[in-house]
Amino acid sequence: QVQLVESGGGLVQPGGSLRLSCATSGSGLNTNVMAWYRQAPGKQRELVASITSGGRTNYADFVKGRFTISRDNAKTTVYLQMNGLKPEDTAVYYCYVRSILSVIYWGQGTQVTVSS
C-alpha cells in the first residue's frame, strides 16, 4: 500500500518561509513525476510545481522566483521550499505522485496559512 505523508504546513506571517515535505512509502513505488498542488477555499485545485524523475522542474507563474521544488536522490521524498509567502498563498497543499505506470497518488493535504 502506497502512502504519502506530508508535513511542514502551518501559520506564517507575510514574507515568511515554510518548507513542505512529502514522504512516500510502500513497496514497489517507482516515482516518475512528483508535484505540489494547492486548493484555496472556494477555488479549484491548482498545480504549484512539479519535478520529473530526470529533475526537470515546472512552476506556476504565481510562485516563480519564490518557491523551489526538489526531491531526494532516492526519489521518495519531495520538498517545496516557500519563500516570500503572501496571504494569497493560503491554501491546503497536496502532494502528488505519478508512478512510471501512470498510477496517481495524493497526500492528505497540509494547511498553509499566511496572515499577520
Side-chain angles (χ1 to χ4, degrees):
Q1 178 118 11
V2 173
Q3 286 189 319
L4 278 59
V5 179
E6 298 146 341
S7 60
L11 173 64
V12 64
Q13 292 187 342
S17 299
L18 284 175
R19 189 189 194 213
L20 305 183
S21 299
C22 173
T24 66
S25 63
S27 61
L29 177 61
N30 196 336
T31 63
N32 184 5
V33 176
M34 304 182 84
W36 290 94
Y37 283 72
R38 72 184 187 186
Q39 187 167 19
K43 295 188 176 182
Q44 289 190 333
R45 192 171 296 189
E46 59 186 358
L47 175 67
V48 176
S50 64
I51 185 167
T52 68
S53 58
R56 187 171 70 246
T57 58
N58 179 57
Y59 295 93
D61 287 342
F62 52 78
V63 302
K64 282 182 179 177
R66 299 189 298 127
F67 292 8
T68 302
I69 190 170
S70 61
R71 63 196 296 173
D72 67 337
N73 289 336
K75 300 176 186 177
T76 60
T77 302
V78 63
Y79 306 96
L80 186 68
Q81 178 66 44
M82 304 185 294
N83 299 327
L85 283 161
K86 305 175 181 179
E88 52 263 43
D89 293 319
T90 295
V92 178
Y93 284 70
Y94 295 92
C95 178
Y96 162 104
V97 170
R98 188 173 79 227
S99 75
I100 61 171
L101 299 179
S102 295
V103 178
I104 292 172
Y105 303 92
W106 289 96
Q108 80 284 358
T110 184
Q111 177 70 46
V112 171
T113 302
V114 185
S115 175
S116 55

